[in-house]
Amino acid sequence: MAAAKEEMYPKKILEYMEGYLVSKTLFTACELGVFDLLQDSEIPLAAADVARALNSSEDGMNRLLSACTGLDLLTTQNTADGPVLYSNTEMSSVFLTKSSPRSLYHSIDYNSNTMYLCWHYLPHAVREGKTQYEKAFGVSSKDLFEAVYRSDKEMVKFMWLMNSIWNVCGRDVISAFDLSPFRSIYDLGGCSGALARQCVKLYPDCTVTIFDLPKVVQMSREHFLSPEEDRISFHEGDFFKDSLPEADLYVLARILHDWTDERNVELLSKIHQSCRPGGGVLVVEALLSEDNSGPLTAQLYSLNMLVQTEGRERKGSEYAALLTRAGFTTVHIHNTGKIYDAVLGLKTGPPL
Ligand SMILES: C[S@@+](CC[C@H](N)C(=O)[O-])C[C@H]1O[C@@H](n2cnc3c(N)ncnc32)[C@H](O)[C@@H]1O
C-alpha cells in the first residue's frame, strides 16, 4: 500500500495548483493585443515583429507566444533558417479577437482586472461568508450595484462582460422552452440587451423591454443598442423599489444569483403580481446538480458569487421552491448542457 502511494503522481493537483498560470497567459496575450495583431496581419509573424508592434520586449514576447502555442491558441510555422512564425488558431480568431462578433475579449478583461483581484481574498470570503469588494477595491457601499458600478468605466466594463457570453450561450437558453406564446417580454436587469437581441431574433412576434437602473439604460443606449433593433425598448427603474409593468413573460437572467432567498422571493412575488394570467418568468442561471456533484463551472461560480455578491448559485429545485413561494404554480427546468440553464415558472391562467 505504502509503495503504491509513493508511486502516485498528483497530475490533477499539479494542474490545479498552476491553473492560474494558464489564465494569466491568456489574459496577458489578450490584453497586449497579440490575437488582434495576428488577425490584422496578412501573413504569419515572428516574435520579434509582434514584440515591435506591441511595444514589448522580444524575449518576453517570445516566451508568451511559445506558451500560447502550447495552449493551442496559436499555431507555428518553422521556416528553413528564419525564425518561427505565429498565427491565430481558428478558435482564437473567433473568440479572442476584439472585433469578432463572438468575442470573449471583454469577459477575459473583466476576469483579469476585476475578478482575479477579488479572488485573491477567497480565503477571507469563505471565513467571513461575505463579499470582498471592500478589501479588493476599497468600495464600502452597502448597495451591491453601487459598488460594481463605482465608476462609469467600471460600469461599461461590467456591461461588456454581461454582453459577451450571450453571443455564445444565448440561443440555447432562449430556445430551451417555446416562448412564442409570450408576446410582451420584460427583461428585468437586461443590461446591454444581448439576451433581448437573441429573443427577438428567435421569436419574430415578440417585443422586449429592457428594464434596468437609469444609468445602465443610458449607457446601453449610448454603447450597445443599434437603431435597427426596433422591437427592443428600454424602461428605467429599480425592480426592488418601483412597480413593474404588466407583461406576458419576465426574463431574469443572472439576477437571482446576486441576491439572498428573501430578496428573491420579494422580487418574484412582485413579478407574479404584475404578470398576466397564463404568463410566466424565465429564470436563466448556471444550475447546480441536485446531488451536489457538479457541474464544476456552477460550483466555482457559486464561490464567485460569495466573493462578489450577496447571492449564490442554486439547484433547479431551489429555484422551483423560490418560484412556488412567490405564487408560480407550474415550474419546468431545462439543463442546456452548456454554462447557463433555464427554469420557467408559470402563473395560473388560460394559455396565452
Ligand atoms: C448580473 S447582471 C445580469 C445582466 C443580464 N441579465 C445578463 O444576464 O447579461 C445584473 C443586472 O441587474 C441590474 N440591476 C441590479 N439591481 C437592479 C435593480 N434594483 N433594478 C433594476 N436592475 C437592477 C444590473 O444593472 C445588471 O444589469
Side-chain angles (χ1 to χ4, degrees):
M1 194 65 184
K5 272 191 189 164
E6 268 167 31
E7 278 162 30
M8 275 167 71
Y9 179 71
K11 182 171 183 290
K12 271 197 173 181
I13 292 175
L14 291 173
E15 277 172 14
Y16 297 162
M17 184 175 79
E18 295 172 351
Y20 73 98
L21 302 184
V22 174
S23 299
K24 264 299 188 190
T25 301
L26 169 67
F27 298 166
T28 302
C30 277
E31 265 170 61
L32 295 183
V34 167
F35 304 107
D36 296 315
L37 178 76
L38 291 173
Q39 193 70 12
D40 292 344
S41 164
E42 308 271 295
I43 47 165
L45 296 179
D49 302 324
V50 179
R52 208 171 309 111
L54 301 180
N55 220 359
S56 305
S57 72
E58 191 176 328
D59 177 36
M61 189 54 72
N62 225 326
R63 299 183 204 204
L64 181 65
L65 299 185
S66 164
C68 286
T69 307
L71 291 171
D72 293 330
L73 301 175
L74 296 178
T75 52
T76 53
Q77 241 173 273
N78 289 303
T79 48
D81 9 86
V84 176
L85 300 177
Y86 293 91
S87 36
N88 285 337
T89 59
E90 198 185 355
M91 191 172 64
S92 300
S93 36
V94 174
F95 295 109
L96 299 179
T97 55
K98 261 191 231 158
S99 58
S100 164
R102 305 190 76 202
S103 178
L104 290 170
Y105 175 87
H106 295 286
S107 288
I108 289 165
D109 178 47
Y110 201 83
N111 268 277
S112 177
N113 293 307
T114 300
M115 290 162 67
Y116 188 80
L117 308 183
C118 263
W119 272 66
H120 180 71
Y121 298 100
L122 182 60
H124 300 73
V126 171
R127 261 189 232 114
E128 296 164 21
K130 66 181 179 84
T131 168
Q132 297 298 306
Y133 249 87
E134 193 169 348
K135 281 195 202 74
F137 304 112
V139 187
S140 62
S141 168
K142 281 216 165 58
D143 182 295
L144 169 62
F145 278 88
E146 252 177 54
V148 175
Y149 299 151
R150 57 197 172 280
S151 68
D152 281 1
K153 193 170 159 225
E154 282 301 318
M155 177 158 59
V156 175
K157 272 169 63 179
F158 179 82
M159 292 176 75
W160 275 116
L161 168 79
M162 292 295 107
N163 199 66
S164 53
I165 198 68
W166 298 130
N167 297 327
V168 180
C169 300
R171 201 185 157 84
D172 296 279
V173 295
I174 289 302
S175 61
F177 302 103
D178 175 16
L179 304 180
S180 59
F182 307 111
R183 301 292 173 91
S184 67
I185 299 176
Y186 259 77
D187 187 356
L188 301 178
C191 205
S192 65
L195 204 53
R197 233 167 274 134
Q198 297 283 342
C199 218
V200 294
K201 227 191 264 175
L202 197 62
Y203 299 106
D205 296 326
C206 76
T207 58
V208 182
T209 308
I210 297 162
F211 183 110
D212 213 304
L213 299 166
K215 56 184 182 179
V216 177
V217 167
Q218 283 148 29
M219 208 54 103
S220 200
R221 279 202 174 101
E222 234 173 82
H223 292 274
F224 292 92
L225 204 78
S226 60
E228 72 267 16
E229 286 163 319
D230 59 356
R231 286 191 288 126
I232 300 179
S233 55
F234 288 101
H235 185 129
E236 296 180 7
D238 182 319
F239 51 50
F240 286 121
K241 293 187 185 143
D242 301 330
S243 62
L244 300 177
E246 188 181 63
D248 296 340
L249 183 76
Y250 300 83
V251 175
L252 287 175
R254 297 188 285 185
I255 302 299
L256 301 184
H257 75 169
D258 287 337
W259 309 103
T260 60
D261 283 0
E262 289 63 38
R263 292 212 91 185
N264 284 333
V265 173
E266 183 194 330
L267 177 59
L268 288 169
S269 301
K270 261 177 97 167
I271 294 174
H272 184 262
Q273 261 188 353
S274 304
C275 183
R276 266 192 204 116
V281 57
L282 181 75
V283 174
V284 176
E285 296 287 359
L287 296 185
L288 291 163
S289 64
E290 292 299 325
D291 64 359
N292 292 318
S293 63
L296 176 61
T297 305
Q299 292 166 330
L300 295 174
Y301 282 8
S302 203
L303 278 175
N304 190 45
M305 290 298 114
L306 174 69
V307 172
Q308 296 204 80
T309 74
E310 300 174 12
R312 60 192 315 112
E313 304 300 348
R314 296 177 174 84
K315 301 171 184 175
S317 61
E318 292 174 314
Y319 285 114
L322 295 175
L323 287 160
T324 308
R325 277 173 69 187
F328 292 92
T329 43
T330 311
V331 179
H332 302 285
I333 298 169
H334 181 99
N335 288 95
T336 66
K338 297 203 180 144
I339 299 179
Y340 291 103
D341 306 300
V343 180
L344 182 67
L346 295 172
K347 178 170 173 172
T348 306
L352 292 171

